[in-house]
Every structure is written in C-alpha cells, then in structure tokens.
Amino acid sequence: MAHKKGQGSSRNGRDSNPQMLGIKLYGGQAAKPGAIICRQRGTRWKPGRGVGVGRDWTIFSLIEGKVKFDQGGRRINVIADAN
C-alpha cells in the first residue's frame, strides 16, 4: 500500500458555487420595478433609461415597462408602457 497520497487526489477537492450570471429578462419582456434584468461582472451590458445598477453590476428595473436592448444589444433600457 502507498504511504503517500496519489498526485491527483491531493490536488483536487476545491470547487466554487455557480454565480448564475447572464440576462434574466430579454427584449420585449415585461419588467416590474426592482426586477433583475441582468447579472454580470463589470459592464458587459450598459445601463440605459429606466434601469439602475447595483454594487455588483446587477442591472435592475426602476420603472414598470418593457425591456429594450439597443447599441447592438449592449445597452439595456426599460420603456414605460403607454397606457
């Protein structure tokens, strides 16, 4: 029997939890105030009108309306419904 651990087992055993990043609401979908639209690291997507940015770069809706992307899909806006 080996008296030392094998190379593989001594270097394994570390893993991190998934961060669940990405777009949560797509263009044309309805957003309520406070709804998370996008979770990201840095400004992969930029905030536009009707949205706010959290400390961790999360983009969320400030108003009720529909999500709209512009600037080639890199800026996120929420446009108020005209009722």
Side-chain angles (χ1 to χ4, degrees):
M1 298 293 289
H3 64 277
K4 292 191 176 184
K5 281 192 171 184
Q7 287 292 320
S9 63
S10 65
R11 293 183 181 176
N12 294 337
R14 290 173 303 281
D15 197 8
S16 58
N17 293 323
Q19 300 301 306
M20 311 299 183
L21 302 176
I23 299 291
K24 307 299 178 191
L25 290 176
Y26 293 93
Q29 287 188 290
K32 294 180 180 177
I36 292 175
I37 300 170
C38 162
R39 299 208 349 109
Q40 60 185 345
R41 293 288 169 263
T43 51
R44 183 171 176 177
W45 292 278
K46 293 179 181 172
R49 291 178 14 186
V51 302
V53 182
R55 263 187 350 176
D56 62 350
W57 302 105
T58 295
I59 294 179
F60 59 92
S61 175
L62 294 172
I63 60 173
E64 189 164 347
K66 289 193 175 174
V67 177
K68 182 177 185 293
F69 287 80
D70 62 4
Q71 286 191 347
R74 289 300 179 184
R75 185 168 64 184
I76 303 174
N77 305 285
V78 174
I79 307 302
D81 293 328
N83 286 344

